[in-house]
Amino acid sequence: MIAVAVVFLLLLHSADCQAEVYACRDSNGSVYFTNIIPEEGCNPFYQEVKSKKRNQKKSYDTVVYDDDIWATGVRYNVDPYLIKAVIRTESAFNHRAVSKKGAQGLMQLMPETARQLGVPDPFNPRQNIDGGTRYLKQLLDTFHGDLRLSIAAYNAGPGAVKRAGGIPKFPETINYVSRVMKHYKGYKTRGKG
């Protein structure tokens, strides 16, 4: 037990440089800790959410998911730059993000939405990108390709957009649409990065 505590303290001490620490259980039932993203069977034990600069959110790698984003965009005929802009706005590329309302993963799927989309593990980046992109495609189809209305519906729900006859006058949604469009235009201008 003391050895486990020492290892954990060492990992916490180095957490300024690491994004997450995972607690895993091996086939013998022993618990071990790692800072390497595991395939499965581990849970986040500690997550660094602030950088060394006070009150600044941790920055996650923005290109690590590009292959999945591009493949999924092609599969569902959704612009990969739009998918990437939604991910950046929703989770800042943190695949373990959970909102105050309970939305999960890269594209911040609500548990019920994830179930409806057949996403068994919303924290699995590939599953989350697939489900979130399918949902985004449904919204694009519902709103006849109108990006702003589809993005607003991704945030506020399609019912709210239909009732408002446009982007709802919710400050959060207005800000959300603006941020996604800003990131989208930036990605389109700069290219894949």
Side-chain angles (χ1 to χ4, degrees):
M1 186 65 175
I2 292 175
V4 170
V6 169
V7 169
F8 175 68
L9 288 173
L10 287 172
L11 287 171
L12 272 182
H13 178 69
S14 66
D16 287 338
C17 302
Q18 306 299 327
E20 296 179 303
V21 174
Y22 296 89
C24 306
R25 189 174 301 276
D26 66 17
S27 59
N28 297 326
S30 299
V31 175
Y32 65 94
F33 298 93
T34 180
N35 64 338
I36 299 170
I37 297 174
E39 290 296 318
E40 56 186 60
C42 299
N43 294 311
F45 190 76
Y46 174 84
Q47 182 174 9
E48 181 65 30
V49 293
K50 301 283 184 187
S51 73
K52 289 183 179 182
K53 293 181 182 175
R54 199 173 272 278
N55 296 325
Q56 190 177 52
K57 288 185 178 179
K58 171 126 179 72
S59 175
Y60 287 84
D61 188 355
T62 63
V63 297
V64 70
Y65 304 114
D66 271 353
D67 289 344
D68 288 327
I69 291 169
W70 285 85
T72 306
V74 169
R75 184 179 314 121
Y76 298 114
N77 195 28
V78 176
D79 188 337
Y81 295 121
L82 179 60
I83 299 167
K84 195 166 184 174
V86 169
I87 292 172
R88 181 171 178 184
T89 305
E90 287 286 350
S91 67
F93 298 91
N94 177 358
H95 74 283
R96 288 288 181 188
V98 178
S99 76
K100 292 176 186 174
K101 295 179 181 177
Q104 303 170 331
L106 290 170
M107 295 187 78
Q108 290 290 275
L109 300 175
M110 291 298 287
E112 181 60 29
T113 304
R115 277 190 290 281
Q116 290 172 356
L117 293 166
V119 177
D121 180 4
F123 295 111
N124 177 297
R126 185 168 287 153
Q127 291 177 25
N128 191 286
I129 292 168
D130 185 85
T133 301
R134 282 188 285 123
Y135 183 55
L136 189 55
K137 174 65 173 171
Q138 290 172 10
L139 296 172
L140 287 163
D141 289 346
T142 298
F143 295 100
H144 311 290
D146 186 308
L147 285 181
R148 292 181 178 279
L149 293 182
S150 300
I151 293 165
Y154 197 94
N155 176 261
V161 173
K162 289 176 183 175
R163 283 190 299 277
I167 298 173
K169 303 294 184 213
F170 309 141
E172 176 189 330
T173 302
I174 293 167
N175 182 46
Y176 179 83
V177 171
S178 174
R179 289 176 58 212
V180 171
M181 291 303 294
K182 176 185 167 198
H183 295 317
Y184 178 55
K185 289 175 183 173
Y187 287 134
K188 294 280 281 187
T189 301
R190 289 189 311 268
K192 202 172 178 181

mmCIF file of all heavy atoms in Angstrom, residues 138-171:
data_model
loop_
_atom_site.group_PDB
_atom_site.id
_atom_site.type_symbol
_atom_site.label_atom_id
_atom_site.label_comp_id
_atom_site.label_asym_id
_atom_site.label_seq_id
_atom_site.Cartn_x
_atom_site.Cartn_y
_atom_site.Cartn_z
ATOM 1 N N GLN A 138 -27.297 14.653 -39.246
ATOM 2 C CA GLN A 138 -28.762 14.697 -39.102
ATOM 3 C C GLN A 138 -29.238 16.150 -39.011
ATOM 4 O O GLN A 138 -30.247 16.530 -39.624
ATOM 5 C CB GLN A 138 -29.208 13.946 -37.851
ATOM 6 C CG GLN A 138 -29.060 12.449 -37.916
ATOM 7 C CD GLN A 138 -29.343 11.779 -36.555
ATOM 8 O OE1 GLN A 138 -29.815 12.406 -35.616
ATOM 9 N NE2 GLN A 138 -29.037 10.496 -36.470
ATOM 10 N N LEU A 139 -28.500 16.960 -38.239
ATOM 11 C CA LEU A 139 -28.880 18.366 -38.074
ATOM 12 C C LEU A 139 -28.692 19.136 -39.379
ATOM 13 O O LEU A 139 -29.537 19.968 -39.741
ATOM 14 C CB LEU A 139 -28.073 18.999 -36.944
ATOM 15 C CG LEU A 139 -28.331 18.402 -35.555
ATOM 16 C CD1 LEU A 139 -27.342 18.950 -34.542
ATOM 17 C CD2 LEU A 139 -29.770 18.646 -35.115
ATOM 18 N N LEU A 140 -27.602 18.869 -40.083
ATOM 19 C CA LEU A 140 -27.381 19.525 -41.373
ATOM 20 C C LEU A 140 -28.502 19.172 -42.353
ATOM 21 O O LEU A 140 -28.974 20.030 -43.102
ATOM 22 C CB LEU A 140 -26.015 19.130 -41.942
ATOM 23 C CG LEU A 140 -24.808 19.760 -41.255
ATOM 24 C CD1 LEU A 140 -23.528 19.006 -41.600
ATOM 25 C CD2 LEU A 140 -24.688 21.237 -41.628
ATOM 26 N N ASP A 141 -28.939 17.920 -42.332
ATOM 27 C CA ASP A 141 -30.053 17.508 -43.197
ATOM 28 C C ASP A 141 -31.358 18.183 -42.757
ATOM 29 O O ASP A 141 -32.125 18.676 -43.588
ATOM 30 C CB ASP A 141 -30.215 15.989 -43.187
ATOM 31 C CG ASP A 141 -29.087 15.267 -43.915
ATOM 32 O OD1 ASP A 141 -28.315 15.924 -44.658
ATOM 33 O OD2 ASP A 141 -28.954 14.037 -43.716
ATOM 34 N N THR A 142 -31.590 18.218 -41.451
ATOM 35 C CA THR A 142 -32.812 18.826 -40.914
ATOM 36 C C THR A 142 -32.906 20.300 -41.288
ATOM 37 O O THR A 142 -33.983 20.797 -41.642
ATOM 38 C CB THR A 142 -32.857 18.680 -39.377
ATOM 39 O OG1 THR A 142 -32.877 17.284 -39.059
ATOM 40 C CG2 THR A 142 -34.069 19.369 -38.768
ATOM 41 N N PHE A 143 -31.771 21.005 -41.232
ATOM 42 C CA PHE A 143 -31.753 22.449 -41.491
ATOM 43 C C PHE A 143 -31.215 22.775 -42.882
ATOM 44 O O PHE A 143 -30.709 23.870 -43.115
ATOM 45 C CB PHE A 143 -31.000 23.177 -40.375
ATOM 46 C CG PHE A 143 -31.696 23.067 -39.051
ATOM 47 C CD1 PHE A 143 -31.267 22.154 -38.101
ATOM 48 C CD2 PHE A 143 -32.822 23.831 -38.780
ATOM 49 C CE1 PHE A 143 -31.932 22.023 -36.888
ATOM 50 C CE2 PHE A 143 -33.492 23.702 -37.580
ATOM 51 C CZ PHE A 143 -33.053 22.802 -36.632
ATOM 52 N N HIS A 144 -31.344 21.804 -43.796
ATOM 53 C CA HIS A 144 -31.050 21.994 -45.220
ATOM 54 C C HIS A 144 -29.658 22.572 -45.477
ATOM 55 O O HIS A 144 -29.494 23.456 -46.326
ATOM 56 C CB HIS A 144 -32.128 22.863 -45.882
ATOM 57 C CG HIS A 144 -33.514 22.392 -45.567
ATOM 58 N ND1 HIS A 144 -34.048 21.213 -46.067
ATOM 59 C CD2 HIS A 144 -34.471 22.914 -44.768
ATOM 60 C CE1 HIS A 144 -35.263 21.040 -45.601
ATOM 61 N NE2 HIS A 144 -35.555 22.051 -44.806
ATOM 62 N N GLY A 145 -28.667 22.088 -44.711
ATOM 63 C CA GLY A 145 -27.281 22.497 -44.920
ATOM 64 C C GLY A 145 -26.921 23.848 -44.329
ATOM 65 O O GLY A 145 -25.786 24.305 -44.498
ATOM 66 N N ASP A 146 -27.828 24.495 -43.640
ATOM 67 C CA ASP A 146 -27.528 25.796 -43.025
ATOM 68 C C ASP A 146 -26.595 25.565 -41.833
ATOM 69 O O ASP A 146 -27.013 25.017 -40.799
ATOM 70 C CB ASP A 146 -28.829 26.472 -42.574
ATOM 71 C CG ASP A 146 -28.599 27.890 -42.063
ATOM 72 O OD1 ASP A 146 -27.731 28.089 -41.184
ATOM 73 O OD2 ASP A 146 -29.307 28.798 -42.534
ATOM 74 N N LEU A 147 -25.336 25.966 -41.990
ATOM 75 C CA LEU A 147 -24.328 25.705 -40.961
ATOM 76 C C LEU A 147 -24.692 26.339 -39.630
ATOM 77 O O LEU A 147 -24.601 25.693 -38.587
ATOM 78 C CB LEU A 147 -22.954 26.225 -41.407
ATOM 79 C CG LEU A 147 -22.221 25.430 -42.458
ATOM 80 C CD1 LEU A 147 -20.867 26.076 -42.764
ATOM 81 C CD2 LEU A 147 -22.017 23.992 -42.016
ATOM 82 N N ARG A 148 -25.070 27.603 -39.647
ATOM 83 C CA ARG A 148 -25.347 28.306 -38.391
ATOM 84 C C ARG A 148 -26.515 27.681 -37.627
ATOM 85 O O ARG A 148 -26.441 27.507 -36.414
ATOM 86 C CB ARG A 148 -25.580 29.792 -38.651
ATOM 87 C CG ARG A 148 -24.329 30.508 -39.108
ATOM 88 C CD ARG A 148 -24.576 31.997 -39.332
ATOM 89 N NE ARG A 148 -23.366 32.657 -39.729
ATOM 90 C CZ ARG A 148 -22.403 33.065 -38.903
ATOM 91 N NH1 ARG A 148 -22.553 32.867 -37.604
ATOM 92 N NH2 ARG A 148 -21.320 33.654 -39.344
ATOM 93 N N LEU A 149 -27.568 27.333 -38.338
ATOM 94 C CA LEU A 149 -28.706 26.717 -37.655
ATOM 95 C C LEU A 149 -28.353 25.320 -37.148
ATOM 96 O O LEU A 149 -28.757 24.933 -36.045
ATOM 97 C CB LEU A 149 -29.918 26.647 -38.582
ATOM 98 C CG LEU A 149 -30.555 27.978 -38.977
ATOM 99 C CD1 LEU A 149 -31.765 27.747 -39.864
ATOM 100 C CD2 LEU A 149 -30.918 28.804 -37.753
ATOM 101 N N SER A 150 -27.591 24.576 -37.936
ATOM 102 C CA SER A 150 -27.182 23.225 -37.523
ATOM 103 C C SER A 150 -26.278 23.279 -36.299
ATOM 104 O O SER A 150 -26.419 22.472 -35.371
ATOM 105 C CB SER A 150 -26.468 22.517 -38.681
ATOM 106 O OG SER A 150 -27.322 22.418 -39.801
ATOM 107 N N ILE A 151 -25.374 24.225 -36.279
ATOM 108 C CA ILE A 151 -24.468 24.391 -35.138
ATOM 109 C C ILE A 151 -25.262 24.826 -33.905
ATOM 110 O O ILE A 151 -25.048 24.322 -32.800
ATOM 111 C CB ILE A 151 -23.342 25.394 -35.472
ATOM 112 C CG1 ILE A 151 -22.423 24.812 -36.549
ATOM 113 C CG2 ILE A 151 -22.555 25.772 -34.226
ATOM 114 C CD1 ILE A 151 -21.505 25.832 -37.199
ATOM 115 N N ALA A 152 -26.205 25.745 -34.098
ATOM 116 C CA ALA A 152 -27.048 26.178 -32.978
ATOM 117 C C ALA A 152 -27.835 24.986 -32.431
ATOM 118 O O ALA A 152 -27.958 24.817 -31.210
ATOM 119 C CB ALA A 152 -27.998 27.287 -33.427
ATOM 120 N N ALA A 153 -28.337 24.137 -33.331
ATOM 121 C CA ALA A 153 -29.095 22.959 -32.899
ATOM 122 C C ALA A 153 -28.195 21.961 -32.177
ATOM 123 O O ALA A 153 -28.652 21.277 -31.251
ATOM 124 C CB ALA A 153 -29.759 22.301 -34.113
ATOM 125 N N TYR A 154 -26.946 21.877 -32.567
ATOM 126 C CA TYR A 154 -26.012 20.980 -31.868
ATOM 127 C C TYR A 154 -25.868 21.418 -30.412
ATOM 128 O O TYR A 154 -25.745 20.602 -29.505
ATOM 129 C CB TYR A 154 -24.646 20.972 -32.566
ATOM 130 C CG TYR A 154 -23.773 19.801 -32.180
ATOM 131 C CD1 TYR A 154 -23.758 18.640 -32.942
ATOM 132 C CD2 TYR A 154 -22.961 19.847 -31.044
ATOM 133 C CE1 TYR A 154 -22.975 17.557 -32.591
ATOM 134 C CE2 TYR A 154 -22.182 18.770 -30.678
ATOM 135 C CZ TYR A 154 -22.179 17.624 -31.455
ATOM 136 O OH TYR A 154 -21.407 16.541 -31.090
ATOM 137 N N ASN A 155 -25.932 22.725 -30.180
ATOM 138 C CA ASN A 155 -25.782 23.259 -28.829
ATOM 139 C C ASN A 155 -27.098 23.296 -28.057
ATOM 140 O O ASN A 155 -27.163 22.850 -26.914
ATOM 141 C CB ASN A 155 -25.183 24.666 -28.899
ATOM 142 C CG ASN A 155 -25.076 25.327 -27.545
ATOM 143 O OD1 ASN A 155 -25.917 26.136 -27.181
ATOM 144 N ND2 ASN A 155 -24.048 24.971 -26.797
ATOM 145 N N ALA A 156 -28.143 23.824 -28.671
ATOM 146 C CA ALA A 156 -29.393 24.085 -27.950
ATOM 147 C C ALA A 156 -30.468 23.033 -28.205
ATOM 148 O O ALA A 156 -31.474 23.006 -27.500
ATOM 149 C CB ALA A 156 -29.936 25.457 -28.341
ATOM 150 N N GLY A 157 -30.242 22.199 -29.213
ATOM 151 C CA GLY A 157 -31.244 21.206 -29.595
ATOM 152 C C GLY A 157 -32.050 21.684 -30.788
ATOM 153 O O GLY A 157 -32.323 22.885 -30.913
ATOM 154 N N PRO A 158 -32.440 20.764 -31.663
ATOM 155 C CA PRO A 158 -33.187 21.165 -32.857
ATOM 156 C C PRO A 158 -34.545 21.782 -32.539
ATOM 157 O O PRO A 158 -34.997 22.686 -33.246
ATOM 158 C CB PRO A 158 -33.329 19.862 -33.656
ATOM 159 C CG PRO A 158 -32.997 18.755 -32.717
ATOM 160 C CD PRO A 158 -32.141 19.330 -31.635
ATOM 161 N N GLY A 159 -35.187 21.336 -31.453
ATOM 162 C CA GLY A 159 -36.480 21.903 -31.073
ATOM 163 C C GLY A 159 -36.377 23.382 -30.754
ATOM 164 O O GLY A 159 -37.240 24.179 -31.158
ATOM 165 N N ALA A 160 -35.335 23.768 -30.046
ATOM 166 C CA ALA A 160 -35.151 25.178 -29.678
ATOM 167 C C ALA A 160 -34.940 26.036 -30.920
ATOM 168 O O ALA A 160 -35.446 27.166 -31.001
ATOM 169 C CB ALA A 160 -33.970 25.323 -28.720
ATOM 170 N N VAL A 161 -34.204 25.508 -31.896
ATOM 171 C CA VAL A 161 -33.954 26.259 -33.133
ATOM 172 C C VAL A 161 -35.246 26.402 -33.923
ATOM 173 O O VAL A 161 -35.563 27.488 -34.435
ATOM 174 C CB VAL A 161 -32.845 25.577 -33.976
ATOM 175 C CG1 VAL A 161 -32.701 26.247 -35.333
ATOM 176 C CG2 VAL A 161 -31.516 25.601 -33.223
ATOM 177 N N LYS A 162 -36.024 25.333 -33.995
ATOM 178 C CA LYS A 162 -37.300 25.394 -34.728
ATOM 179 C C LYS A 162 -38.265 26.361 -34.050
ATOM 180 O O LYS A 162 -38.933 27.160 -34.721
ATOM 181 C CB LYS A 162 -37.912 23.997 -34.836
ATOM 182 C CG LYS A 162 -37.154 23.092 -35.794
ATOM 183 C CD LYS A 162 -37.727 21.687 -35.793
ATOM 184 C CE LYS A 162 -36.909 20.774 -36.688
ATOM 185 N NZ LYS A 162 -37.366 19.376 -36.630
ATOM 186 N N ARG A 163 -38.339 26.305 -32.722
ATOM 187 C CA ARG A 163 -39.246 27.212 -32.001
ATOM 188 C C ARG A 163 -38.832 28.671 -32.184
ATOM 189 O O ARG A 163 -39.681 29.556 -32.298
ATOM 190 C CB ARG A 163 -39.272 26.868 -30.508
ATOM 191 C CG ARG A 163 -40.104 25.643 -30.166
ATOM 192 C CD ARG A 163 -40.303 25.471 -28.672
ATOM 193 N NE ARG A 163 -39.057 25.294 -27.940
ATOM 194 C CZ ARG A 163 -38.394 24.143 -27.800
ATOM 195 N NH1 ARG A 163 -38.872 23.040 -28.362
ATOM 196 N NH2 ARG A 163 -37.274 24.084 -27.106
ATOM 197 N N ALA A 164 -37.528 28.927 -32.211
ATOM 198 C CA ALA A 164 -37.032 30.299 -32.357
ATOM 199 C C ALA A 164 -37.122 30.777 -33.804
ATOM 200 O O ALA A 164 -37.026 31.979 -34.063
ATOM 201 C CB ALA A 164 -35.587 30.386 -31.865
ATOM 202 N N GLY A 165 -37.272 29.845 -34.733
ATOM 203 C CA GLY A 165 -37.277 30.227 -36.147
ATOM 204 C C GLY A 165 -35.912 30.718 -36.595
ATOM 205 O O GLY A 165 -35.778 31.506 -37.526
ATOM 206 N N GLY A 166 -34.883 30.261 -35.925
ATOM 207 C CA GLY A 166 -33.507 30.680 -36.205
ATOM 208 C C GLY A 166 -32.650 30.346 -34.996
ATOM 209 O O GLY A 166 -33.009 29.494 -34.182
ATOM 210 N N ILE A 167 -31.541 31.040 -34.862
ATOM 211 C CA ILE A 167 -30.667 30.813 -33.708
ATOM 212 C C ILE A 167 -31.368 31.350 -32.460
ATOM 213 O O ILE A 167 -31.751 32.519 -32.414
ATOM 214 C CB ILE A 167 -29.301 31.497 -33.895
ATOM 215 C CG1 ILE A 167 -28.580 30.898 -35.108
ATOM 216 C CG2 ILE A 167 -28.442 31.369 -32.642
ATOM 217 C CD1 ILE A 167 -27.305 31.602 -35.508
ATOM 218 N N PRO A 168 -31.572 30.489 -31.441
ATOM 219 C CA PRO A 168 -32.227 30.961 -30.215
ATOM 220 C C PRO A 168 -31.434 32.100 -29.567
ATOM 221 O O PRO A 168 -30.208 32.157 -29.689
ATOM 222 C CB PRO A 168 -32.229 29.718 -29.312
ATOM 223 C CG PRO A 168 -32.052 28.560 -30.230
ATOM 224 C CD PRO A 168 -31.222 29.067 -31.377
ATOM 225 N N LYS A 169 -32.117 32.966 -28.889
ATOM 226 C CA LYS A 169 -31.486 34.138 -28.259
ATOM 227 C C LYS A 169 -30.821 33.787 -26.925
ATOM 228 O O LYS A 169 -30.782 34.608 -26.022
ATOM 229 C CB LYS A 169 -32.515 35.255 -28.059
ATOM 230 C CG LYS A 169 -33.189 35.695 -29.330
ATOM 231 C CD LYS A 169 -32.217 36.350 -30.288
ATOM 232 C CE LYS A 169 -32.968 36.856 -31.511
ATOM 233 N NZ LYS A 169 -32.169 36.792 -32.716
ATOM 234 N N PHE A 170 -30.291 32.574 -26.826
ATOM 235 C CA PHE A 170 -29.567 32.178 -25.623
ATOM 236 C C PHE A 170 -28.125 32.656 -25.771
ATOM 237 O O PHE A 170 -27.473 32.330 -26.772
ATOM 238 C CB PHE A 170 -29.565 30.655 -25.438
ATOM 239 C CG PHE A 170 -30.911 29.990 -25.508
ATOM 240 C CD1 PHE A 170 -31.051 28.770 -26.141
ATOM 241 C CD2 PHE A 170 -32.029 30.563 -24.927
ATOM 242 C CE1 PHE A 170 -32.274 28.129 -26.203
ATOM 243 C CE2 PHE A 170 -33.266 29.933 -24.975
ATOM 244 C CZ PHE A 170 -33.391 28.720 -25.619
ATOM 245 N N PRO A 171 -27.608 33.411 -24.803
ATOM 246 C CA PRO A 171 -26.224 33.882 -24.916
ATOM 247 C C PRO A 171 -25.225 32.735 -25.163
ATOM 248 O O PRO A 171 -24.308 32.873 -25.972
ATOM 249 C CB PRO A 171 -25.962 34.578 -23.575
ATOM 250 C CG PRO A 171 -27.316 35.014 -23.113
ATOM 251 C CD PRO A 171 -28.263 33.944 -23.597
#
